[in-house]
Amino acid sequence: MNFEIKIIDNFFDISDFNLVNNVKLDEIESNELKVYHNTIDKKNVVQQSCIDENLIEFIHKKYHQKVFEILKELNLGKSKLYDYTDLTIIKTGKNCKFPIHDDTPNKLLSGVIYLNPEINAGTIFYKNKKGDNKKTIPWGKNRAVFFSRKERETWHSYEGDGKSDRIALIYNLMTNNIRDVYKVEKKNYFLGNFRYKINPYIFEYFKTTI
């Protein structure tokens, strides 16, 4: 892998972690995955599903600068493209496996914070889409894993551990300016964007998952 992965243990203050970890979620089947979208933009306009609007605003106010500094560290050029924050909770069934992918270009910084349970499967990174050179970032409650996606380079996946559901908070910094993302990455915008748009399932689903 030729990209940097930033790992931060005890990302949230414990009281804040408990607030996020106590958000009520629906029951799911062992092979299912449920995504709860929550966003907040630069004007503090909130779109929420499972997380209370006040909690979204609180997290954004307290932790945005911390996460934004990570983006600047990993990819300074992309930090200038920031438009909004994605705070999405994903509940993954114990037998569910999400395929290897490299994230959609609207993700400037991809982040995940492990919530519950105490033990589960972490995030798996690879050298390529075939799954070579597998590297797993182990699960740990309140551990955060961040990286800045690169077209056809930041391959990763995740899955349940076969024993219990996996609950994680996705903390992504996002943009609406896809064309300039490809300029920063020095990649072809038309080829890259077409790659996602021809597969609506990938485009709509991968843009909020890690």
Side-chain angles (χ1 to χ4, degrees):
M1 294 180 294
N2 60 346
F3 60 95
E4 184 177 354
I5 302 169
K6 185 87 172 178
I7 303 169
I8 304 173
D9 286 330
N10 302 312
F11 177 83
F12 286 126
D13 291 345
I14 189 61
S15 59
D16 302 338
F17 175 78
N18 289 334
L19 286 173
V20 176
N21 203 27
N22 286 331
V23 171
K24 299 300 182 182
L25 306 174
D26 296 334
E27 294 296 321
I28 60 173
E29 298 295 328
S30 64
N31 62 345
E32 288 183 325
L33 180 150
K34 187 156 187 178
V35 180
Y36 298 83
H37 299 283
N38 308 275
T39 63
I40 182 169
D41 66 17
K42 291 186 288 187
K43 296 181 180 180
N44 292 328
V45 175
V46 173
Q47 294 183 356
Q48 55 90 220
S49 57
C50 67
I51 304 178
D52 180 80
E53 182 173 344
N54 292 329
L55 181 54
I56 293 172
E57 292 174 346
F58 172 77
I59 293 171
H60 184 66
K61 182 177 180 180
K62 186 170 181 178
Y63 293 96
H64 174 72
Q65 193 58 42
K66 178 179 181 178
V67 176
F68 193 72
E69 290 299 322
I70 295 171
L71 174 58
K72 290 200 296 183
E73 176 186 342
L74 297 182
N75 198 317
L76 183 61
K78 285 190 177 182
S79 67
K80 301 172 184 177
L81 306 178
Y82 169 78
D83 286 314
Y84 66 101
T85 296
D86 172 25
L87 292 169
T88 288
I89 291 182
I90 298 181
K91 186 173 184 179
T92 305
K94 64 181 181 180
N95 296 323
C96 182
K97 295 185 178 181
F98 201 84
I100 299 173
H101 61 287
D102 65 338
D103 282 350
T104 48
N106 59 340
K107 288 186 178 183
L108 304 174
L109 182 73
S110 298
V112 58
I113 301 160
Y114 304 139
L115 298 181
N116 203 46
E118 196 71 37
I119 300 174
N120 210 286
T123 304
I124 311 164
F125 293 89
Y126 310 88
K127 180 181 178 181
N128 51 43
K129 192 176 182 179
K130 295 187 297 182
D132 294 333
N133 292 10
K134 176 179 176 181
K135 176 183 179 180
T136 301
I137 307 300
W139 182 273
K141 292 183 75 170
N142 207 13
R143 170 174 291 162
V145 181
F146 291 98
F147 64 95
S148 183
R149 66 85 71 183
K150 293 182 180 179
E151 182 76 4
R152 294 184 179 272
E153 293 185 34
T154 47
W155 301 105
H156 60 287
S157 69
Y158 64 92
E159 60 190 43
D161 67 352
K163 299 177 181 178
S164 56
D165 295 340
R166 178 189 192 271
I167 303 174
L169 173 69
I170 305 306
Y171 201 137
N172 295 335
L173 301 186
M174 313 287 289
T175 188
N176 298 315
N177 190 349
I178 305 302
R179 191 179 296 271
D180 279 355
V181 167
Y182 284 98
K183 287 182 181 179
V184 172
E185 292 189 359
K186 297 181 180 179
K187 302 285 187 175
N188 187 292
Y189 165 75
F190 296 101
L191 291 178
N193 206 38
F194 180 72
R195 174 181 167 225
Y196 288 99
K197 290 295 180 68
I198 60 173
N199 191 329
Y201 172 81
I202 290 178
F203 187 74
E204 291 301 318
Y205 206 63
F206 282 8
K207 66 183 179 182
T208 53
T209 57
I210 175 173

